[in-house]
Amino acid sequence: MFDTKVTIVLRDDLAAWQELNVTAFLSCGIAAQFPEIIGEPYRDAAGHVYNPLSIQPMVIMSADRDTLRAIHRRSLERQVTTSLFIEEMFATGHDEANRAAFSTFDPSTAKVVGIALRAERRIVDKIAKGAKLHG
């Protein structure tokens, strides 16, 4: 149905609230990069309007630290722009502080807790190799 695939990979040792938080942030990043994946508003039978949602399913996966590091590296090697969440962002309280914390790390030192990407299906599958379906 879709030539592309959206995959979010979470580190497998996160608390439930962290998994939900990271997934929400990362999916917003994908929507910002690819606004065409956002559909039309929803309307119920009473005429109430609700926010539009993604038209494309998102696969949620998990991986250990080393596999997540490899996924990050492979995404950079293939020049696939990703949404990335690092551990230090849990301690910040707003976007500016998130970006400040993020800017102090490079790919070899970042403590990645989540990554999201959208690309051709086969490319996403190669990048996310080693991750398992979440849950």
Side-chain angles (χ1 to χ4, degrees):
M1 180 170 198
F2 293 98
D3 294 334
T4 60
K5 185 175 187 176
V6 177
T7 297
I8 298 172
V9 184
L10 306 172
R11 201 172 69 197
D12 63 4
D13 62 350
L14 299 178
W17 73 267
Q18 291 172 317
E19 291 176 343
L20 295 170
N21 183 268
V22 171
T23 300
F25 273 91
L26 295 177
S27 61
C28 289
I30 293 296
Q33 184 184 7
F34 300 101
E36 67 272 14
I37 72 168
I38 302 301
E40 297 296 320
Y42 284 72
R43 296 181 195 283
D44 67 18
H48 300 105
V49 178
Y50 301 87
N51 291 329
L53 302 174
S54 173
I55 63 171
Q56 186 169 7
M58 296 185 188
V59 177
I60 311 298
M61 305 184 86
S62 62
D64 61 28
R65 290 175 193 262
D66 291 337
T67 303
L68 199 52
R69 186 175 291 117
I71 291 167
H72 182 208
R73 179 184 42 75
R74 289 192 292 260
S75 69
L76 293 171
E77 290 170 352
R78 293 179 181 266
Q79 298 180 331
V80 173
T81 302
T82 64
S83 300
L84 195 72
F85 199 102
I86 61 170
E87 193 172 292
E88 289 75 12
M89 292 165 65
F90 288 128
T92 64
H94 54 86
D95 184 54
E96 187 176 332
N98 281 346
R99 285 184 280 110
F102 195 94
S103 71
T104 64
F105 296 93
D106 65 38
S108 68
T109 60
K111 296 175 197 160
V112 178
V113 297
I115 189 169
L117 60 148
R118 179 181 186 247
E120 292 179 31
R121 296 180 70 79
R122 63 181 179 77
I123 292 171
V124 171
D125 289 342
K126 287 179 182 179
I127 291 171
K129 182 180 176 184
K132 298 174 184 161
L133 283 176
H134 187 273

